Amino acid sequence: MTDFKIEEVLLTLGLKKNNNGTSTGKNSFSGTKIIKSYSPVNGLLIGEVTVTTKKDYEKVITSAISAFKEWKTKPAPLRGEIIRQFGDKLRKKKEALGTLVSYEMGKSYQEGLGEVQEMIDICDFAVGLSRQLHGLTMHSERPGHRMYEQYHSLGIVGIISAFNFPVAVWAWNTALAWVCGNVCVWKPSEKTPLCGIACQHIITEVLAENNLPEGISCLINGDASVGEFIAEDTRIPLVSATGSTKMGKIVAKKVAARLGKYLLELGGNNAIIVTPDADIKMTVIGAVFGAVGTAGQRCTSTRRLIIHESIYNQVKESLIKAYKQLKIGNPLDQNNHIGPLIDNNAVQLYTEALNKVVHEGGTIIINGGVLKGKGYESGCYVKPAIVEAENSFKIVQTETFAPILYLLKYSGDVTNAIEIQNGVAQGLSSAIMTNNLQEAETFLSVSGSDCGIANVNIGTSGAEIGGAFGGEKETGGGRESGSDAWKVYMRRQTNTINYTSDLPLAQGIKFDL
C-alpha cells in the first residue's frame, strides 16, 4: 500500500481536496472558516473542510427533527434493513475507507481495515437487534389489569467522537441509535474530518436509494466550540461523547445542566497483571501489542505492566528483546508495526511524559525519542519506550496517549497486584496473565478489577462488538456497542391496561363517588 495515490482514495469515497463540512439535508453551507487535514504519515495536506457555523447547525437540527418524525414510525426491521444496506456499502468500500483511516489518523493499514470491519460488525449486530428490541411484562396487583414496559425512540442523538477511532466509534453509536429509531448529529474529531465526511457520503447514498430523508444522519465539523452546540442543545436528549476525561467532564456538566442524558467513553490507564503462573510468551505478545498498537493511542492501550517480583527480570528481558524487533514507519507499509502519533502536539506530550517520569525517579530501560530523517518528515514518529516506575508517580497516574509502557513490581499474592491495578482514577480495561484458576477468579470477583473490561490471558486492547464496551470512574461509566447497550438510546415507558369495567385503585385505596 505504499504506492497508493490519495487522490484515487478520495475519489472512491466521493471526496475532493475541498469538502463541505456540514450535511443538512439541503446541502446548504455558509461557513468560511476551514479545517486543514494534514496526514501524520508524511505531513502533507490531504484536504480542507468547512467549519460548521451556528447558522449551518440550525439547518442541521431542523433537518434532523423533520427526519425523526418519519424515521421513528418505520418498523424496526425496516430500519434494520437500511443498516444492512449500509453495512454492504462499507464492505464494498472497506479498502478505500481503511486506507483513508490509516493515512489521516496514522494507524497501520491493517488496523484501518480492522476499524472498518468493526463498523460492518456493528451493522450486522444492529440488523439482528432490529427484531429483538424487547420490553418486559409483569403481573399487576389489580385484577383485570396488565402491566408491561416498552422502549421508545429518544429523538436526536448527538455524537462527539475522537481521532483515534475516527469511524468505528461513530458506527458503534449510530448503528444502535438508528435501529432504535433515532436520528444522529455527528461531530467527528477536527483532527480526522475527512473520515467523517467519507462515512456521511456512504450513508447518504443508502438513504437516497431508499427515498429516506438525509437528516437521519447529519454531520457537523469544527473544534470544541462546535461540540458545545450539541452539548448545550435541549433538542438533543442524548449526547454520546468519546475522548479525554477533561473533555468528558465539560460535556457532562453542560448536558446535566439541562437535565439531558449523556454517554461518556473517556480516558483509560490500563494495566496487565503478570503473576508467577503466567505464560511469558503470551504475556509479551499481549503487552507489546497493547502498548505499541496504534502507537499507544487507544483508550484501551496497555499503560502499566504489574509484574510479580519473582518473574520481573524474566519478563523485562523478554520485553526488551521484543521491542528491539519493532519496525517504525509508514503505516501503509505492512512491514511496519508502528506508525506516527496524530500530530506534533501529541509528540510534545509524549516527550514531556518521559521527562516527568525521570524527574519523579523512574528509570528508562528502552529509550524513547522523536525520529527524524527520510520517512519521518512529518515529525510525528516516536520510539516506543519502557520505563521502570512506581504506581504513585503523578505521570503514571495520568493517561498519556503515546507508546510508553510503565513496569511496576509487586510482591505477595494477587490481591496486592489488584490493589495497584485499581489504584488509578481511570477504570476502562484491565487484564491478568495467569494459569492459576484462583488468581483468575479473584481478579474477576467483586474484590477484583474495578474496570468495565476485565480479561484473563488476553491483553487490554481489542474488544468484540458483542459485549458492552466502556469503563468506570473517570472513564465515564458509559456503555456502547453490544449486549443491552441499546437501551441507553431509548426511553423506557411503563404501561398499565385495565380491561375490565371497574377501576380498582392500587394498594386497595377506596375512592367511591
Side-chain angles (χ1 to χ4, degrees):
M1 289 300 298
T2 53
D3 295 328
F4 86 108
K5 292 183 178 180
I6 186 59
E7 292 79 9
E8 294 179 0
V9 173
L10 297 176
L11 183 62
T12 300
L13 295 170
L15 301 175
K16 53 187 179 180
K17 284 289 185 179
N18 296 301
N19 296 275
N20 286 321
T22 306
S23 180
T24 66
K26 295 184 179 180
N27 291 317
S28 176
F29 315 98
S30 61
T32 56
K33 293 183 179 180
I34 61 171
I35 297 171
K36 292 186 177 182
S37 178
Y38 293 94
S39 172
V41 174
N42 51 25
L44 298 180
L45 178 68
I46 310 173
E48 298 178 350
V49 175
T50 306
V51 173
T52 302
T53 66
K54 186 65 174 177
K55 181 179 179 181
D56 291 332
Y57 176 78
E58 289 302 321
K59 292 179 181 178
V60 166
I61 295 299
T62 298
S63 176
I65 291 172
S66 176
F68 175 61
K69 293 177 181 178
E70 178 178 345
W71 183 241
K72 70 179 179 180
T73 64
K74 302 295 184 183
L78 187 147
R79 299 194 296 255
E81 166 60 17
I82 301 304
I83 296 170
R84 184 195 67 77
Q85 293 179 31
F86 178 53
D88 284 348
K89 291 274 188 183
L90 289 171
R91 286 178 171 90
K92 294 177 182 178
K93 297 179 182 290
K94 179 178 177 180
E95 183 176 339
L97 185 55
T99 301
L100 179 61
V101 168
S102 177
Y103 189 62
E104 188 174 34
M105 184 269 152
K107 63 176 57 177
S108 74
Y109 175 61
Q110 287 300 320
E111 288 184 275
L113 294 178
E115 184 167 346
V116 181
Q117 186 61 49
E118 286 190 36
M119 301 175 74
I120 295 168
D121 291 344
I122 196 64
C123 286
D124 288 348
F125 182 88
V127 172
L129 190 62
S130 70
R131 295 181 183 272
Q132 300 180 67
L133 296 173
H134 57 80
L136 295 172
T137 61
M138 61 281 292
H139 292 279
S140 172
E141 66 184 47
R142 290 168 285 188
H145 286 58
R146 181 167 66 89
M147 293 179 63
Y148 68 94
E149 290 181 344
Q150 62 177 328
Y151 288 84
H152 292 297
S153 310
L154 282 171
I156 302 174
V157 173
I159 302 169
I160 301 172
S161 63
F163 74 86
N164 59 331
F165 281 86
V167 296
V169 171
W170 167 71
W172 286 3
N173 281 274
T174 203
L176 297 190
W178 285 337
V179 81
C180 290
N182 303 299
V183 299
C184 297
V185 176
W186 176 29
K187 191 201 88 66
S189 170
E190 62 272 27
K191 297 182 180 182
T192 51
L194 294 173
C195 287
I197 295 176
C199 291
Q200 181 67 14
H201 278 302
I202 296 171
I203 186 58
T204 297
E205 287 182 14
V206 176
L207 297 175
E209 290 166 1
N210 288 274
N211 296 313
L212 289 168
E214 186 182 353
I216 291 170
S217 179
C218 297
L219 183 78
I220 60 176
N221 264 300
D223 58 14
S225 63
V226 175
E228 288 180 358
F229 296 166
I230 291 177
E232 296 175 347
D233 196 334
T234 58
R235 296 165 293 185
I236 300 179
L238 172 66
V239 177
S240 175
T242 303
S244 68
T245 297
K246 178 181 179 181
M247 178 277 292
K249 288 181 178 179
I250 295 172
V251 170
K253 184 177 181 180
K254 290 182 179 296
V255 177
R258 58 179 177 83
L259 297 182
K261 297 171 63 178
Y262 52 79
L263 190 168
L264 301 177
E265 295 290 354
L266 309 176
N269 196 345
N270 316 294
I272 299 176
I273 295 172
V274 188
T275 81
D277 287 311
D279 182 312
I280 302 301
K281 181 179 179 181
M282 185 183 296
T283 296
V284 171
I285 293 173
V288 173
F289 176 73
V292 308
T294 324
Q297 295 173 110
R298 293 184 176 214
C299 53
T300 56
S301 290
T302 304
R303 311 288 178 199
R304 299 173 296 144
L305 207 58
I306 305 168
I307 311 166
H308 192 270
E309 60 183 0
S310 66
I311 57 169
Y312 182 86
N313 289 333
Q314 182 183 359
V315 173
K316 180 173 73 171
E317 292 306 315
S318 296
L319 284 170
I320 292 173
K321 183 179 179 180
Y323 266 55
K324 290 180 178 179
Q325 300 175 52
L326 295 174
K327 296 180 180 179
I328 308 168
N330 187 333
L332 292 168
D333 182 345
Q334 296 182 55
N335 291 315
N336 293 322
H337 301 102
I338 308 166
L341 294 179
I342 185 64
D343 56 24
N344 295 122
N345 182 61
V347 173
Q348 182 179 347
L349 292 174
Y350 157 85
T351 302
E352 290 175 354
L354 289 176
N355 290 336
K356 288 177 180 177
V357 74
V358 171
H359 179 73
E360 290 192 73
T363 302
I364 296 178
I365 59 175
I366 289 287
N367 288 321
V370 181
L371 294 169
K372 299 179 180 179
K374 186 177 180 180
Y376 306 124
E377 290 85 357
S378 69
C380 296
Y381 292 87
V382 302
K383 300 177 186 176
I386 300 178
V387 184
E388 293 181 300
E390 298 292 337
N391 202 54
S392 59
F393 289 178
K394 186 176 180 180
I395 190 59
V396 176
Q397 293 282 317
T398 304
E399 179 188 42
T400 302
F401 241 45
I404 302 174
L405 178 63
Y406 300 115
L407 302 189
L408 312 174
K409 186 184 298 184
Y410 83 96
S411 58
D413 64 22
V414 73
T415 60
N416 294 330
I418 292 171
E419 184 177 356
I420 296 172
Q421 139 69 37
N422 294 343
V424 293
Q426 308 84 357
L428 179 53
S429 187
S430 59
I432 187 170
M433 293 293 185
T434 181
N435 289 317
N436 183 305
L437 180 62
Q438 288 184 327
E439 290 178 337
E441 289 296 336
T442 299
F443 179 73
L444 298 176
S445 73
V446 67
S447 301
S449 170
D450 63 2
C451 294
I453 299 170
N455 299 325
V456 176
N457 290 332
I458 62 172
T460 61
S461 61
E464 296 183 35
I465 59 95
F469 179 88
E472 301 301 320
K473 301 190 293 188
E474 287 195 356
T475 302
R479 292 298 185 275
E480 296 171 332
S481 194
S483 186
D484 64 348
W486 62 271
K487 291 180 179 179
V488 75
Y489 302 92
M490 305 194 84
R491 58 181 175 88
R492 182 188 298 206
Q493 185 181 79
T494 301
N495 307 113
T496 305
I497 299 173
N498 177 5
Y499 55 88
T500 74
S501 57
D502 297 321
L503 186 59
L505 302 178
Q507 290 86 44
I509 294 174
K510 302 294 183 181
F511 189 73
D512 296 326
L513 294 177

